[in-house]
Amino acid sequence: MRKPVALRLSAALGTLALAAATGVVLNMPTASAAAAGATGYATQNGGTTGGAGGTTVRATTGTQIHQALCARAATSTPITIQVEGTITVGNTAKVSGTGCNTAAGVIELKGISNVTLVGVGAGAVFDQIGIHIRQSSNIIVQNVTVQNVKKSGSPTSNGGDAIGMESDVHNVWVDHATLVASGGESEGYDGLFDMKDSTKYVTLSYSILRNSGRGGLVGSSDSDLANGPVTFHHNRYENIDSRTPLLRGATAHIYNNYYVSLNESGINPRAGGKAKVDNNYFKNSKDVLGTFYTDLPGYWQVAGNIFDNVTWSQPGEENNPAGPNPTSNTTVAVPYSYTLDAASCVPSIVTATAGANTGLKVSDGNCAATTPTATPTSTPTSTPTTSATPTATSSPGGTNLSIGADSDGSSKASGTSYGNVRDGDTGTYWSPSGATGSVSIKWGSATSVSRINIREASGATGNIGSWRVLNGDTGAVLTSGSGAGVISFAATSLKKVTFEITSSAATPKVAEFETYA
C-alpha cells in the first residue's frame, strides 16, 4: 500500500509544537461535565451510556485515572472520571486492582466496561500520551484534547494513535474531542482515531482531527474486515494527508462533517467497505472520496455534499476516485434517526461546536448551535483527596484568618476587588471576569488552615457550581465539591489558599472568603 506523502504543515502548527515542547497549555474555557446522550451507531446494540448511574471521581494525573478504575468493586462497576489538567507519560503509572488492567505510559481502558472519561474545568489535555481502549464496552470519552502521540521517537505511547480501539471493543462514543499531531509517519506519528480487530458500534461526533498524515482507519489490513458500523458526524478534519477515514470492509455513516485541506485522499472505502456520505462540506482538498491505493473496491452512497475547490486524479489500476461528479454505487440503510444540517452551513456550525472546550455545544438541526440538556452526575470525589459538601453559611467558629491577610486571583469583573472577600463586609464582593475563576487568601508566613467559609453576595445565592480548594503554594487539590458554605479539609500549613470556581449557574459573587485554623 502506498504511504501518504509528507504532511504540509500550516504556519499555525509551529505554535502547537512549541507549546507541547515547552509544556505550555493554552488557556481554555470551562466546559460542562456531561451532556445529552450518544448518537449514531453508538446508540445501537444496547446503547452507550458510559458510567451513568455510578460514582464520579476527579483526576488530575494519569495515575489517578488508573487508580479510579482500579478502586472499583468490579471491572463493570459504572464510573465517571472527571479529568482536569495535563496528563503525560510521566504522570501515568501502572496501577493494579479488581476493576482494571492498566499499563504505564498509556491511558489503558482494557477488559472493562461502563466508564465515562470527561474533561472538566479548565480542560483535560493528554499530551504525548494516547487513550487505548481494548476488550472493553460501553465507553464514553468526551471533552478531551489528545496531542502529539508518537509511535517512534520519545516518548512513545499507544502505538502512535491518539485514540485507538482494538480487540473486541463495542459501543464507544467519542464526543467533542480535539485530536492533533505535528506531522506524518516520517515524523513519528500514526493515526488519530483507529479501530481494528472487531471494534463495533462506535460514534465520533463534534470533534477536531488536525495536522496528521493519517486521520484514522476502520480495519488494520485487508483481512481485518469484522469492524464497524461507525458514525462520523459534525467533525472537522483539517490538514490531513489521508484516511478520513479508511474503511476496510466496514460500513460508515458520514454526515455533516467539514473537511479542509485533505492533501492526498479522504474517505476511502475499500475491500467491500461502504460509506453513506450525506451533507458534508469539502474545501481545498484532493480526492475526497473513492477507493485509493488498492484494487479491492469499496462503495459509497452520496447526497447533498458540497465540493468547494476539490481536485480529482484520473482513475487508475489502484485509484478509483468518486469525482469529479460523485454518484452513488450502493445503498446503505441506517437504523437510527438523525437530523441533517444543510451542507451550506456545515462550515459555520462545525466551527461553532466541534472540539474540546466548546461547552459541549451541538447543532439544533437547523444550523444553529445549542447546549444540550445535561445528564446528571453525582458530586465528584477527588482522587486521592475526598470531596466536600459545604454546610450552611453560618460562621464555623474561631478567628477568621482572612481579616488582615492579603488576596489575589484570576481576572476580576469590572467594579469588584479581591480585597472585598476579606474585608468582613458582605455588602461588597468579588466576581470573576467570566463564569469561572479563582480568588486566594495569602499570608506572609505559613498558616494552618482546615476550614474555609465561602459566603455568596445577596441575590447571588446558589450561583457557584463546582469548585476546588487548592494549596496555593504547591497547586495540590485539598478538596473539591459544589455550592458555597463551610468547607472542611485536612489541616494544611500554607502561605496561600485558593478557591477555584470551575462551573457556575450564573455570575459568581463571593462576598467573603473566610479562613479558619
Side-chain angles (χ1 to χ4, degrees):
M1 182 184 74
R2 192 184 79 171
K3 292 183 172 63
V5 300
L7 185 68
R8 270 75 66 186
L9 295 176
S10 65
L13 184 56
T15 302
L16 173 63
L18 177 62
T22 58
V24 174
V25 179
L26 302 180
N27 187 38
M28 296 170 291
T30 299
S32 302
T39 56
Y41 277 113
T43 65
Q44 305 299 292
N45 191 42
T48 304
T49 57
T55 59
T56 300
V57 175
R58 183 69 68 99
T60 59
T61 68
T63 301
Q64 288 180 359
I65 293 173
H66 285 167
Q67 287 172 338
L69 293 170
C70 295
R72 295 180 300 161
T75 56
S76 61
T77 302
I79 189 171
T80 294
I81 305 173
Q82 297 182 347
V83 183
E84 184 174 18
T86 303
I87 310 302
T88 66
V89 169
N91 66 25
T92 303
K94 175 180 173 64
V95 178
S96 299
T98 57
C100 67
N101 185 354
T102 69
V106 58
I107 299 303
E108 189 87 304
L109 309 180
K110 181 178 179 182
I112 62 176
S113 60
N114 309 326
V115 173
T116 294
L117 193 67
V118 57
V120 297
V125 178
F126 293 75
D127 185 25
Q128 302 181 77
I129 183 169
I131 297 175
H132 188 197
I133 304 172
R134 185 171 185 173
Q135 297 170 339
S136 295
S137 63
N138 195 23
I139 305 294
I140 295 174
V141 178
Q142 191 172 53
N143 199 45
V144 301
T145 295
V146 187
Q147 62 188 27
N148 292 331
V149 181
K150 285 193 170 186
K151 69 174 182 178
S152 61
S154 180
T156 59
S157 177
N158 195 27
D161 297 334
I163 296 180
M165 290 161 271
E166 63 179 304
S167 188
D168 297 320
V169 172
H170 65 87
N171 290 90
V172 176
W173 179 35
V174 177
D175 177 64
H176 284 89
T178 298
L179 311 178
V180 296
S182 294
E185 187 177 23
S186 60
E187 288 80 24
Y189 303 95
D190 197 6
L192 294 176
F193 193 71
D194 278 12
M195 292 158 277
K196 56 190 177 182
D197 191 16
S198 190
T199 295
K200 302 178 179 181
Y201 298 101
V202 175
T203 295
L204 176 67
S205 58
Y206 295 98
S207 294
I208 294 173
L209 295 86
R210 180 179 286 152
N211 298 333
S212 177
R214 296 168 171 173
L217 56 76
V218 186
S220 60
S221 70
D222 291 336
S223 61
D224 182 17
L225 306 179
N227 299 285
V230 186
T231 300
F232 301 84
H233 73 90
H234 292 92
N235 303 298
R236 179 184 179 113
Y237 288 80
E238 184 173 6
N239 197 25
I240 304 289
D241 276 353
S242 64
R243 302 185 181 183
T244 66
L246 168 61
L247 302 169
R248 290 182 168 111
T251 295
H253 186 200
I254 301 171
Y255 70 92
N256 284 153
N257 299 286
Y258 184 30
Y259 299 91
V260 187
S261 298
L262 305 185
N263 300 315
E264 293 298 313
S265 62
I267 302 167
N268 185 359
R270 58 196 284 184
K274 295 181 179 181
K276 180 175 173 61
V277 184
D278 295 331
N279 288 33
N280 301 280
Y281 196 107
F282 302 90
K283 182 177 181 180
N284 299 338
S285 297
K286 176 184 177 184
D287 285 341
V288 298
L289 174 64
T291 297
F292 304 102
Y293 322 131
T294 183
D295 59 359
L296 300 175
Y299 309 95
W300 45 85
Q301 179 181 351
V302 294
N305 302 286
I306 291 178
F307 302 93
D308 179 0
N309 191 31
V310 171
T311 60
W312 302 90
S313 61
Q314 292 295 316
E317 184 177 341
E318 293 191 345
N319 288 286
N320 180 26
N325 297 301
T327 58
S328 301
N329 57 18
T330 191
T331 58
V332 179
V334 174
Y336 51 83
S337 61
Y338 61 99
T339 302
L340 287 173
D341 286 307
S344 59
C345 78
V346 162
S348 61
I349 190 62
V350 170
T351 299
T353 57
N357 306 296
T358 57
L360 300 179
K361 292 179 180 178
V362 298
S363 171
D364 67 354
N366 292 295
C367 299
T370 184
T371 301
T373 302
T375 301
T377 59
S378 57
T379 301
T381 57
S382 177
T383 304
T385 57
T386 58
S387 175
T389 301
T391 59
T393 55
S394 59
S395 174
T399 301
N400 176 11
L401 303 174
S402 299
I403 303 295
D406 204 350
S407 54
D408 62 18
S410 62
S411 297
K412 58 183 180 290
S414 177
T416 70
S417 169
Y418 306 125
N420 289 341
V421 304
R422 54 176 176 80
D423 61 2
D425 181 2
T426 58
T428 63
Y429 61 87
W430 163 88
S431 279
S433 60
T436 63
S438 62
V439 63
S440 303
I441 300 296
K442 56 185 181 180
W443 301 269
S445 59
T447 301
S448 181
V449 178
S450 65
R451 292 165 296 164
I452 67 174
N453 187 17
I454 301 298
R455 296 179 183 267
E456 293 179 289
S458 176
T461 302
N463 289 2
I464 294 175
S466 59
W467 46 258
R468 303 192 305 172
V469 178
L470 307 177
N471 181 331
D473 301 347
T474 66
V477 178
L478 301 177
T479 189
S480 62
S482 61
V486 178
I487 302 165
S488 300
F489 46 88
T492 305
S493 180
L494 41 71
K495 293 184 178 181
K496 180 176 179 178
V497 61
T498 299
F499 181 71
E500 181 185 38
I501 301 168
T502 57
S503 73
S504 58
T507 302
K509 296 180 179 180
V510 178
E512 290 297 297
F513 180 177
E514 301 172 354
T515 53
Y516 298 88

